[in-house]
Amino acid sequence: MEDSKGHRADGPARNAESVSIRWACTLCGYHVDGEAPVACPECGAAREEFEVVPIPAG
Ligand SMILES: [Zn+2]
């Protein structure tokens, strides 16, 4: 079931290393790039309350 001249995923190869992530507090909306803080400086939520959100391109 292999098609040697089939589809080829074209697109950006892969942005390897300097991939940034953004963390957003699900309680108050505070967000920070890089690493999730130990606790939200705005509302004091624990790190578990943070979720990764996509960073808008540009
Ligand atoms: Zn918060």
Side-chain angles (χ1 to χ4, degrees):
M1 293 273 220
E2 285 180 314
D3 188 351
S4 54
K5 52 180 177 185
H7 304 275
R8 187 145 119 216
D10 55 339
R14 56 175 168 178
N15 353 322
E17 333 230 323
S18 55
V19 152
S20 311
I21 53 176
R22 172 170 292 174
W23 294 89
C25 177
T26 57
L27 299 188
C28 75
Y30 173 87
H31 60 260
V32 59
D33 293 344
E35 289 189 24
V38 177
C40 179
E42 287 294 316
C43 71
R47 191 181 195 145
E48 287 75 38
E49 303 295 344
F50 280 76
E51 65 178 7
V52 177
V53 297
I55 299 181

